[in-house]
Amino acid sequence: MNDSFEWNQPLKSVLSDLGTGVGGLSSAEATSRLERIGPNSATDSRRPPLWLQFVLRFRNPLILLLLAASGLSALTGDHASFLIVVAILAISVTLDFVQEVRAEKAVDALRQSVALRTEVIRDGKEMEILVREVVPGDVILLSSGMLVPADGRLIDARDLFVNQALLTGESYPAEKAAGDLPRPTEAIDEAVNCVFMGTSIISGSCRMVVVATGARTRLGSLSGQLAGSHEPTSFEIGMERFGMLLLRIAVVMVLFVLLVNLALERPILDSFLFALALAIGLAPELLPMIVTISLARGAIRMAQRRAILKHLPAMHNLGAMDVLCTDKTGTLTEANIRLEKTLDCDWHESRDVFTLAYANATFESGVKSPLDLALLEHESLDLSGWTKIDEVPFDFERRRISVLVASPTRRLLIVKGAPEDILNCSTHYGTSEVSHSLDADRRAEVIEKFEALGEEGFRVLGIAFRDASPDRSDARVSDETELTFTGFAVFLDPPRADAAQTLKALASDGIQVKVLSGDNERVTRHVCDLLGFDVGSIMTGEELQHISDESLVARIDATNAFCRVTPQQKSRIIAALHRRGRTVGFLGDGINDAPALHQADVGISVESATDVAREAADLILLEKDMSVIHGGVIEGRRSVINTNKYILMGSASTFGNAFSMAMASLMLPFLPLLPIQVLLNDLIYDLSQTVLPFDNVDEDLLANPVRWDLERVKRTMWILGPSSSMFDLVTMFVLLHFLHAGEATFRTVWFLGSLVTQLLIVFALRTQKPMFRSRPHPSLIYVVCGFAVFAFLLPWTSMGRWFGFVSLPIGYYLFPLLACTGYTLFVEFLKRRFKYYL
């Protein structure tokens, strides 16, 4: 909402102003409003039309300067060079544009498959639509675990509590209710009859009418701050630094070449065009396209493994991930939880315990846990004579939920939760009919029985109650005292058959698994022991609460299981891992997992998770299975490695060529290559690299986390660049002093030597193994070798003459081949001797 008018107005007036009613809009009206108002997104702006995106590709200052300079050349009569320059730049930009748009469309389709949806009433019927399609006037149905899709006024609400910390900073849920306010207010936290986009339903349900969408919401007004709060990945930071490095090199190189050619009194315009062409060659102009294609290719392959990547930049963190923090339910266990028995304090099966637990699970309004669902699925009880009065929602500090109910005979507060916490609140034990004092000896016996169940791998809930006065109409946390402990609800969640193998596969690929569980340490250790997973030392939430951050950092590597932890403690564990330099993935699916999902380098959730968790996650699993995560990590590494190949090979090759031509321009009485020949070299090389995202990756490289390493890029560039220049300068010396080659012949041989070397060295640099022991993808072989053959044939064609090439005697082709062979052998020597590899 843009002002407080809607929450101060009577509901009837709000509906009238919006042209809607409690039955919602018609589909036709909703479609019309969507076209007029635009999609419901707080931060996403509409993309410009494709034609404008294409035109904007020419904003590159180097391209503009080159076009201007070649235009001046055309005015002096050199029309052919101008047309060739324009054609080369057009082909390069079009290739970049088309490939990147196609990749983005493929990724958008994947995102749409896991996009958030919401329930809406249209044409008088309930239906599910994408959140982006919500418009003002829509009537939305919300329940616990859902994100509020837009700003809206409540039509009706039941036991509604909303987390609106994103807007107000208040960590405690706010209670909401329908109706008109008793007095006008400007404060958002006093607008109890409204809910706001980006907040989440903690418990209860409601019906709301949408009054504002997208940028017109309260969240939309903060969109600039939200966009600015994005944490760049290490790869994005590295790319920015890499770009600045190339910019500095290009500036120095261009100034050097320009000053040398001016000092040698060569034509100013030709010298300027040559210097600009070198600068464009140094700039990895196809890098955004290669990155996008590589990541999109990885995202598509991940989708085939049933994992949808929502944010492409997260792929780099996924490839670097070396720690996975996860709950054990559904990852180490089957998530097929079943109720085994309900026991009283004498270790006997108890119908009374089951009835109280079933009533609590039935009447609670929050997101039902897997244990609640197992209770409800075990057996159906007739509670037609029972009425819910009120409840105290579950939270991770109390670790219990209380429901105030009226049974056919009395009014009860039924409490269900962690047994140790329920026992701490209890002063009696027994049944709903007979109770006894819970003295120290009896309490110790009950605790011993609870611990024995944990040792056997059972998950346990404690059940207790207390009588309430017949006129009691509300429930409070302070009521959870002097309870009568009735017994335990005992559940079993067996280990997954494939979990042990997946844990071993993750460990062998450099990923350490840490279990962050709400269960006690005995259950967690039992499950891990069955799977052969060494948890090391176990730390409980209580222990975590009493140690400093420094102590946690010191112990974090040796501790693989954290039990009975709160959402805040999960975030603290992730922060400690970050301080140890680890790249952390976190798997969570609950309402309270959002902070940890945001804090992790890779937030992972599942398709069946709450809206809050899915929105916060970077990666959505279509099934909760660690093997899916493992497959996703491997694809992430593959994509990052292939992206790094382009950066490493491109920086080394282009820097080497530019360095060679800079040196040659100092020694030669003419330009070593014409500007259009330099641009053609760059275009052919860039075209050959477009298949790199599809290249094979050595298995041993996939077995370890992959991180962006700018120092390795710089080292490779400084070593291999000048090394290739040595072979270029030898070729130059032979051509000038032994073969006495003229300008056109020299340029033709130089062009062939530099281009073929750039093309074929790909096979040596793409792997750390000897090049013949690593198999490239067939498309890479065909494309690279095809362009090499094209380069050799070019001087014999009419197109070659347009570029100033001349046909050569067959013997002259030996020089580029010898230079390429010598350089390749030299690179293989460097790889083996000095470890300059990918």
Side-chain angles (χ1 to χ4, degrees):
M1 292 180 191
N2 294 324
D3 53 45
S4 61
F5 181 70
E6 287 82 356
W7 61 69
N8 288 327
Q9 259 192 309
L11 177 60
K12 186 176 181 180
S13 298
V14 173
L15 293 173
S16 176
D17 291 343
L18 290 168
T20 188
V22 294
L25 301 170
S26 67
S27 296
E29 176 61 22
T31 301
S32 173
R33 294 188 184 192
L34 183 62
E35 291 176 354
R36 187 170 67 253
I37 298 172
N40 176 36
S41 175
T43 55
D44 290 344
S45 57
R46 296 184 183 182
R47 289 179 181 171
L50 289 178
W51 68 266
L52 183 57
Q53 293 182 46
F54 178 75
V55 171
L56 292 177
R57 301 274 169 155
F58 289 91
R59 288 184 305 175
N60 186 315
L62 290 177
I63 292 179
L64 293 175
L65 280 173
L66 190 59
L67 286 172
S70 59
L72 290 175
S73 178
L75 292 176
T76 63
D78 190 0
H79 301 97
S81 294
F82 171 72
L83 293 175
I84 291 172
V85 168
V86 171
I88 290 176
L89 291 177
I91 292 171
S92 178
V93 170
T94 302
L95 171 72
D96 182 17
F97 173 73
V98 171
Q99 294 280 21
E100 196 165 338
V101 167
R102 288 176 58 188
E104 287 174 350
K105 283 185 176 180
V107 173
D108 285 344
L110 293 178
R111 289 197 190 105
Q112 283 291 96
S113 68
V114 292
L116 291 183
R117 308 180 78 86
T118 191
E119 290 186 31
V120 64
I121 299 177
R122 286 185 181 173
D123 301 318
K125 296 180 294 186
E126 295 181 15
M127 62 178 66
E128 196 176 69
I129 65 170
L130 291 171
V131 167
R132 291 178 62 86
E133 297 173 355
V134 170
V135 296
D138 267 328
V139 174
I140 307 291
L141 304 175
L142 297 172
S143 57
S144 54
M146 292 183 176
L147 275 176
V148 178
D151 288 359
R153 175 72 179 268
L154 293 175
I155 297 174
D156 52 53
R158 180 184 177 189
D159 302 322
L160 187 62
F161 286 85
V162 178
N163 181 346
Q164 50 188 31
L166 181 65
L167 298 178
T168 65
E170 177 57 58
S171 59
Y172 293 101
E175 187 172 8
K176 298 285 185 174
D180 299 334
L181 297 180
R183 60 182 182 278
T185 181
E186 295 290 332
I188 189 174
D189 55 348
E190 295 179 7
V192 296
N193 59 0
C194 288
V195 288
F196 303 95
M197 185 182 198
T199 62
S200 56
I201 309 298
I202 298 298
S203 62
S205 59
C206 70
R207 198 164 40 137
M208 61 167 269
V209 59
V210 175
V211 298
T213 59
R216 291 163 293 280
T217 62
R218 288 278 173 175
L219 186 65
S221 66
L222 302 174
S223 60
Q225 300 174 33
L226 292 172
S229 64
H230 165 68
E231 286 286 336
T233 66
S234 58
F235 180 83
E236 290 173 315
I237 295 171
M239 287 304 303
E240 184 179 351
R241 293 174 179 170
F242 175 62
M244 292 304 299
L245 171 66
L246 287 184
L247 178 62
R248 289 194 294 269
I249 293 174
V251 169
V252 172
M253 197 81 74
V254 166
L255 290 176
F256 174 78
V257 170
L258 194 57
L259 291 174
V260 166
N261 281 276
L262 291 177
L264 295 176
E265 298 183 350
R266 292 171 185 163
I268 295 177
L269 190 56
D270 288 346
S271 300
F272 185 59
L273 282 169
F274 178 71
L276 283 178
L278 282 185
I280 287 180
L282 273 173
E285 60 270 16
L286 290 190
L287 179 59
M289 183 201 73
I290 294 293
V291 170
T292 301
I293 293 177
S294 184
L295 298 187
R297 169 75 173 168
I300 292 170
R301 292 177 63 128
M302 286 174 63
Q304 294 169 351
R305 292 178 180 247
R306 301 189 62 74
I308 306 298
L309 189 71
K310 288 172 54 186
H311 308 122
L312 280 186
M315 181 78 80
H316 301 106
N317 284 343
L318 189 63
M321 189 177 82
D322 56 7
V323 175
L324 173 63
C325 297
T326 176
D327 190 7
K328 60 182 179 57
T329 303
T331 51
L332 303 183
T333 65
E334 292 180 356
N336 184 21
I337 301 173
R338 60 181 183 269
L339 178 67
E340 291 289 303
K341 49 196 171 185
T342 49
L343 304 174
D344 62 20
C345 294
D346 292 319
W347 223 238
H348 301 135
E349 283 279 354
S350 172
R351 189 68 178 174
D352 193 48
V353 172
F354 177 73
T355 300
L356 293 173
Y358 186 92
N360 181 287
T362 299
F363 291 120
E364 69 169 293
S365 61
V367 177
K368 297 192 186 303
S369 72
L371 301 183
D372 292 324
L373 296 176
L375 271 168
L376 299 175
E377 292 169 0
H378 180 73
E379 179 184 342
S380 180
L381 290 184
D382 182 10
L383 298 180
S384 56
W386 296 59
T387 305
K388 176 183 175 181
I389 308 299
D390 198 15
E391 75 174 284
V392 182
F394 177 88
D395 67 58
F396 283 90
E397 299 301 326
R398 294 164 38 249
R399 299 200 303 159
R400 56 185 177 268
I401 179 172
S402 298
V403 179
L404 180 63
V405 298
S407 74
T409 58
R410 61 212 276 201
R411 193 160 288 200
L412 295 170
L413 182 74
I414 306 173
V415 187
K416 169 171 61 62
E420 53 269 57
D421 292 289
I422 302 293
L423 278 168
N424 288 337
C425 299
S426 300
T427 56
H428 294 76
Y429 74 97
T431 68
S432 58
E433 303 300 330
V434 180
S435 64
H436 310 278
S437 176
L438 186 63
D439 57 27
D441 292 339
R442 190 59 169 159
R443 186 184 298 272
E445 291 177 15
V446 173
I447 292 174
E448 184 180 351
K449 291 175 181 177
F450 159 60
E451 291 177 349
L453 288 169
E455 297 286 355
E456 296 176 35
F458 289 108
R459 300 177 67 176
V460 182
L461 287 175
I463 312 297
F465 75 96
R466 68 174 289 176
D467 285 302
S469 61
D471 59 347
R472 185 65 184 270
S473 61
D474 64 335
R476 306 185 185 95
V477 174
S478 58
D479 296 332
E480 297 171 340
T481 57
E482 299 182 354
L483 302 177
T484 298
F485 190 85
T486 61
F488 305 102
V490 182
F491 304 84
L492 183 64
D493 186 13
R496 292 178 64 107
D498 60 349
Q501 181 179 355
T502 304
L503 286 168
K504 290 179 182 177
L506 288 166
S508 67
D509 286 335
I511 301 173
Q512 183 180 15
V513 175
K514 294 189 181 292
V515 179
L516 278 55
S517 176
D519 285 336
N520 67 61
E521 57 273 28
R522 295 172 184 82
V523 176
T524 303
R525 186 177 289 279
H526 178 83
V527 171
C528 292
D529 287 345
L530 288 177
L531 295 172
F533 176 57
D534 182 13
V535 297
S537 62
I538 292 180
M539 189 179 296
T540 65
E542 183 178 0
E543 185 180 357
L544 190 57
Q545 189 174 356
H546 293 96
I547 66 171
S548 66
D549 289 341
E550 287 70 24
S551 297
L552 177 58
V553 171
R555 296 173 57 182
I556 195 78
D557 286 339
T559 305
N560 289 334
F562 298 84
C563 303
R564 293 181 289 165
V565 290
T566 67
Q568 293 77 15
Q569 289 172 333
K570 291 178 183 179
S571 296
R572 193 176 166 207
I573 291 166
I574 293 172
L577 288 166
H578 283 158
R579 289 182 61 182
R580 297 290 293 178
R582 312 297 292 272
T583 303
V584 185
F586 174 78
L587 173 60
D589 56 8
I591 297 177
N592 294 287
D593 285 330
L597 287 166
H598 278 299
Q599 186 170 8
D601 299 288
V602 185
I604 308 169
S605 194
V606 293
E607 189 178 27
S608 59
T610 61
D611 287 356
V612 182
R614 290 173 60 202
E615 182 68 11
D618 302 301
L619 182 68
I620 303 293
L621 309 181
L622 301 184
E623 56 184 274
K624 194 174 183 180
D625 184 347
M626 280 200 301
S627 65
V628 177
I629 300 176
H630 180 238
V633 169
I634 296 302
E635 291 305 330
R637 292 177 182 177
R638 191 188 313 276
S639 298
V640 174
I641 289 170
N642 280 337
T643 302
N644 287 349
K645 286 178 185 178
Y646 174 80
I647 295 170
L648 284 166
M649 290 187 286
S651 59
S653 297
T654 56
F655 174 69
N657 270 357
F659 185 76
S660 298
M661 284 187 274
M663 294 298 100
S665 64
L666 184 63
M667 304 175 187
L668 293 173
F670 50 83
L671 292 176
L673 288 179
L674 297 175
I676 57 174
Q677 294 170 343
V678 175
L679 291 176
L680 180 64
N681 182 304
D682 296 336
L683 177 63
I684 293 175
Y685 177 74
D686 284 337
L687 287 171
S688 73
Q689 301 302 290
T690 57
V691 293
L692 268 179
F694 305 94
D695 190 24
N696 299 329
V697 176
D698 296 337
E699 290 299 321
D700 53 341
L701 289 179
L702 295 175
N704 294 288
V706 181
R707 292 182 174 85
W708 169 254
D709 187 353
L710 180 59
E711 291 305 312
R712 170 171 286 182
V713 173
K714 290 163 65 175
R715 186 171 65 241
T716 302
M717 185 169 66
W718 293 123
I719 295 295
L720 296 187
S723 297
S724 68
S725 296
M726 288 192 308
F727 291 89
D728 290 336
L729 295 176
V730 169
T731 300
M732 180 186 72
F733 182 81
V734 172
L735 286 172
L736 289 178
H737 297 285
F738 287 91
L739 300 179
H740 307 289
E743 290 185 24
T745 300
F746 180 91
R747 288 168 178 158
T748 302
V749 176
W750 184 282
F751 175 85
L752 292 177
S754 63
L755 178 58
V756 172
T757 300
Q758 272 187 292
L759 290 172
L760 298 184
I761 201 63
V762 166
F763 298 119
L765 292 178
R766 57 170 294 278
T767 177
Q768 69 181 42
K769 297 178 180 179
M771 58 183 291
F772 293 110
R773 294 185 185 175
S774 176
R775 180 174 296 178
H777 192 277
S779 63
L780 184 65
I781 298 175
Y782 298 147
V783 170
V784 168
C785 293
F787 276 117
V789 171
F790 170 78
F792 277 112
L793 295 177
L794 184 62
W796 296 86
T797 66
S798 57
M799 187 173 76
R801 289 189 287 276
W802 297 346
F803 285 90
F805 299 128
V806 294
S807 56
L808 299 171
I810 298 299
Y812 276 64
Y813 285 100
L814 288 176
F815 296 104
L817 290 175
L818 288 173
C820 179
T821 302
Y823 180 50
T824 301
L825 293 174
F826 186 68
V827 169
E828 287 293 311
F829 167 75
L830 290 177
K831 282 165 53 178
R832 182 174 300 184
R833 179 67 179 83
F834 298 107
K835 306 299 181 185
Y836 288 114
Y837 51 76
L838 299 180

